């Protein structure tokens, strides 16, 4: 849809920066696929330096790095009518979860609108107030909840950000099975370290192609736009009709907020530090559960079956381990759906090796029965302490994440976390290269 909008607007207007693909609260119960919204900045035609952001029908799409001049009301109205027409033609309104919204604003609303929409449930009333206050042009369809996403996408000013290059299918192929060679995706993934979440090598899952019947052929995510453009040429596939680079909050962990257990709300996404309160158990369906205690309360944490080998890590935890959990909160019962964990300290678990040795005769004592202690039959000395040794642990402290096949759009891959830590150490600033 953004592709059509850019196609229609680019002759008369300047595209500013990259179009934006903004993911919002992944835990909303009425979730549309991926809960995403798109935004685009548009200004008057000008002669500022331009960068290539895509190709549509063989022609380059270039955008300006900054505004030259604001639009006047007639131009805004023109853009509003054009985008509304495209939205009404292209939105799949027959899908009960599709509730489109269109918003045009001269100045973006406060960033808190975005922060709220990515971390909690925002009401339509909150957004309508903002839209009126900012004299926005807007049109909401069906239950109008699309206005929330649209406004939040405008309110997003990147602190951390990534990019996604999206390649579109030729119209004659829409609705047919996508032809994308998985081997070329694997190769691209291995040879382009600044990209992420392309391919799950262990579970053989190609993550770059969508499953929905949309016109997208594939999307590659990464930190470097030039690498992404090169990466598209490495994919062997059916013909690519057009492609565009989007700026995005995917892979940033923007949805997560530190929270004590006592204040955890359903549908939020949290970071909680606490101790494992019981040994993990595997329940029917292969889901692994344990309880976390942070001193303010206890909450169940779950690694569900689709998180595959991540469950092996969770099964390796023991009561007393100090960990930090990252995940979305399910309602009823309130449960943290784990996205990753940081193991901070593994508790020392002692296991009995032998009965205690008698200090007088040097022989092993005998057990007096379960929980009754030990006694030397010769000297009559007693002890409650058997000989012990530390239990070897299968885990080491550090971060562990769910595999690519189970990763959420907003989850920051460890690959990116390690890069920003490294950047912080070498240059003193955390962040992503342009
Ligand atoms: Zn003895």
């Amino acid at each position: 849809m953004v592709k059509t909008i850019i196609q229609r607007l680019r002759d008369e207007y300047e595209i500013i920066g990259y179009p934006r693909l903004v993911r919002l609260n992944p835990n909303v119960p009425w979730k549309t696929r991926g809960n995403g919204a798109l935004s685009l900045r548009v200004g008057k035609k000008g002669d500022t330096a331009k960068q290539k952001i895509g190709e549509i029908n063989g022609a380059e799409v270039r955008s300006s790095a900054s505004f030259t001049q604001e639009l006047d009301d007639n131009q805004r109205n023109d853009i509003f009518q054009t985008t509304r027409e495209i939205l009404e033609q292209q939105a799949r309104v027959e899908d009960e979860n599709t509730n489109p919204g269109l918003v045009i604003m001269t100045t973006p609303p406060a960033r808190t609108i975005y922060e709220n929409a990515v971390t909690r449930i925002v009401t339509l009333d909150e957004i309508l107030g903002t839209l009126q206050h900012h004299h926005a042009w807007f049109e909401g369809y069906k239950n109008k909840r699309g206005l929330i996403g649209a406004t939040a996408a405008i309110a997003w000013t990147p602190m951390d950000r990534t990019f996604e290059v999206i390649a579109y299918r030729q119209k004659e192929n829409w609705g047919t099975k996508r032809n994308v060679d998985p081997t070329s995706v694997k190769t691209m993934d291995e040879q382009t370290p600044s990209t992420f979440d392309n391919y799950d090598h262990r579970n053989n899952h190609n993550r770059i192609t969508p499953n929905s019947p949309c016109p997208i052929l594939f999307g590659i995510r990464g930190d470097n736009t030039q690498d992404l453009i090169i990466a598209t040429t490495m994919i062997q596939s059916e013909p690519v009709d057009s492609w565009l680079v989007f700026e995005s909050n995917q892979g940033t962990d923007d949805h997560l907020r530190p929270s004590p257990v006592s204040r955890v709300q359903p549908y939020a996404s949290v970071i909680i530090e606490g101790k494992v309160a019981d040994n993990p158990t595997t329940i029917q369906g292969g889901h692994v559960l344990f309880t976390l205690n942070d001193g303010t309360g206890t909450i169940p944490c779950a690694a569900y079956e689709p998180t595959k080998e991540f469950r092996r890590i969770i099964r390796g935890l023991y009561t007393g381990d100090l960990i930090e959990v990252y995940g979305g909160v399910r309602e009823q019962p309130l449960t943290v759906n784990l996205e990753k964990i940081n193991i901070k300290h593994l508790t020392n678990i002692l296991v009995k090796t032998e009965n205690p040795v008698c200090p007088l005769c040097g022989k092993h004592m005998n057990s007096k029965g379960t929980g009754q202690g030990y006694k030397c039959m010769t000297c009559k000395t007693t002890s409650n302490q058997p000989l012990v040794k530390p239990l070897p642990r299968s885990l080491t402290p550090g971060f562990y994440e769910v595999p690519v096949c189970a990763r959420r759009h907003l989850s920051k891959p460890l690959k990116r976390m390690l890069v920003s830590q490294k950047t912080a150490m070498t240059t003193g600033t955390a962040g992503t290269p342009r």
Side-chain angles (χ1 to χ4, degrees):
M1 195 176 306
V2 164
K3 188 190 82 177
T4 315
I5 293 169
I6 289 176
Q7 204 171 356
R8 289 274 293 275
L9 295 181
R10 67 174 169 171
D11 291 337
E12 273 187 73
Y13 303 100
E14 200 78 80
I15 308 299
I16 315 294
Y18 292 93
R20 290 174 168 176
L21 165 56
V22 182
R23 301 287 179 176
L24 300 164
N25 188 347
N27 309 313
V28 295
W30 49 83
K31 179 158 59 179
T32 57
R33 213 175 287 104
N35 201 14
L38 299 161
S39 75
L40 186 66
R41 287 164 296 158
V42 180
K44 270 188 187 157
K45 274 281 180 202
D47 285 331
T48 58
K50 294 189 183 58
Q51 58 189 342
K52 183 173 176 178
I53 60 165
E55 274 177 25
I56 297 178
N57 299 337
E60 281 194 348
V61 182
R62 300 184 83 85
S63 80
S64 173
S66 58
F67 277 104
T68 46
Q69 271 183 290
E70 293 287 348
L71 303 171
D72 61 39
D73 272 3
N74 283 336
Q75 292 172 313
R76 271 185 220 116
N77 190 49
D78 174 41
I79 290 171
F80 184 62
Q81 300 307 337
T82 304
T83 45
R84 186 162 66 175
E85 198 180 294
I86 295 167
L87 184 74
E88 286 173 7
Q89 280 166 3
Q90 298 194 358
R92 289 189 305 274
V93 285
E94 70 282 0
D95 180 339
E96 62 167 335
N97 287 322
T98 304
N99 295 284
L102 169 66
V103 174
I104 291 184
M105 295 174 100
T106 314
T107 47
R111 193 177 194 273
T112 48
I113 301 279
Y114 159 71
E115 289 165 6
N116 291 339
V118 76
T119 55
R120 64 168 172 88
I121 304 288
V122 172
T123 66
L124 187 56
D125 280 348
E126 289 174 67
I127 292 299
L128 290 174
T130 303
L131 293 177
Q132 274 146 17
H133 179 74
H134 284 262
H135 307 290
W137 280 257
F138 61 93
E139 182 79 64
Y141 298 85
K142 293 163 70 185
N143 73 13
K144 299 187 199 290
R145 292 200 62 90
L147 291 173
I148 300 171
T151 310
I154 298 174
W156 178 56
T157 45
M159 311 279 263
D160 184 12
R161 52 93 188 270
T162 62
F163 297 92
E164 177 163 353
V165 59
I166 293 181
Y168 297 89
R169 312 183 75 186
Q170 291 184 330
K171 196 163 188 176
E172 58 263 36
N173 291 326
W174 291 8
T176 63
K177 192 174 181 296
R178 287 176 180 79
N179 179 5
V180 174
D181 171 33
T183 309
S184 68
V185 180
K186 279 190 223 179
T187 308
M188 180 279 291
D189 181 64
E190 284 160 357
Q191 295 181 1
T192 322
S194 69
T195 63
F196 58 88
D197 291 0
N198 304 309
Y199 199 88
D200 191 322
H201 294 265
R202 189 189 165 100
N203 298 299
N204 270 321
H205 181 88
N206 176 5
R207 189 64 206 281
I208 74 168
T209 56
N211 294 314
S212 56
C214 66
I216 293 174
L217 181 60
F218 60 79
I220 307 173
R221 298 165 188 198
D223 275 298
N224 181 300
T225 56
Q226 293 312 309
D227 287 357
L228 287 178
I229 293 170
I230 295 165
T232 58
T233 65
M234 298 169 74
I235 305 300
Q236 309 282 325
S237 71
E238 65 184 60
V240 169
D241 177 82
S242 315
W243 59 267
L244 278 172
V245 175
F246 291 78
E247 189 175 32
S248 179
N249 65 343
Q250 294 174 149
T252 63
D253 272 354
D254 267 8
H255 59 311
L256 296 164
R257 290 288 178 275
S259 170
V261 169
S262 59
R263 298 186 58 187
V264 168
Q265 296 290 322
Y267 314 124
S269 296
V270 293
I271 303 173
I272 309 171
E273 185 178 302
K275 283 188 170 171
V276 176
D278 56 12
N279 290 342
T281 51
T282 302
I283 62 165
Q284 198 173 11
H287 315 303
V288 181
L289 291 167
F290 68 91
T291 308
L292 187 77
N293 185 339
D294 76 340
T296 74
T298 61
I299 191 165
C301 297
Y304 294 103
E305 190 281 331
T307 65
K308 303 295 173 196
E309 68 267 25
F310 179 68
R311 295 172 297 162
R312 190 180 55 79
I313 305 300
I314 301 306
R315 285 192 195 105
L317 294 170
Y318 278 89
T319 304
D321 289 343
L322 179 66
I323 63 172
E324 194 173 49
V325 300
Y326 294 66
V329 180
R330 294 198 167 187
E331 199 188 23
Q332 283 185 344
L334 225 50
T335 305
V336 179
N337 181 4
L338 297 173
E339 293 167 21
K340 59 184 163 232
I341 63 166
N342 180 9
I343 300 179
K344 297 195 149 185
H345 180 73
L346 292 167
T347 191
N348 198 15
I349 299 164
L350 298 174
V351 286
K352 180 192 156 186
T353 50
E354 291 170 74
N355 288 357
V357 173
C358 171
L360 298 181
C361 70
K363 287 183 181 154
H364 283 110
M365 297 181 181
N366 289 7
S367 173
K368 294 198 289 178
T370 311
Q372 304 291 303
Y374 305 88
K375 188 174 185 179
C376 176
M377 302 318 271
T378 317
C379 317
K380 311 296 177 201
T381 52
T382 60
S383 170
N384 291 319
Q385 303 296 325
L387 300 182
V388 293
K389 65 165 188 194
L391 179 78
R393 300 293 303 266
S394 61
L395 303 172
T396 51
F399 276 99
Y400 298 86
E401 65 187 342
V402 301
V404 168
C405 67
R407 201 155 308 150
R408 297 195 127 167
H409 298 301
L410 276 159
S411 291
K412 190 171 191 168
L414 296 189
K415 194 178 180 181
R416 290 201 73 236
M417 296 178 76
L418 299 174
V419 166
S420 52
Q421 276 167 17
K422 232 182 257 172
T423 314
M425 275 189 285
T426 52
T427 68
T429 55
T432 51
R434 250 209 107 126

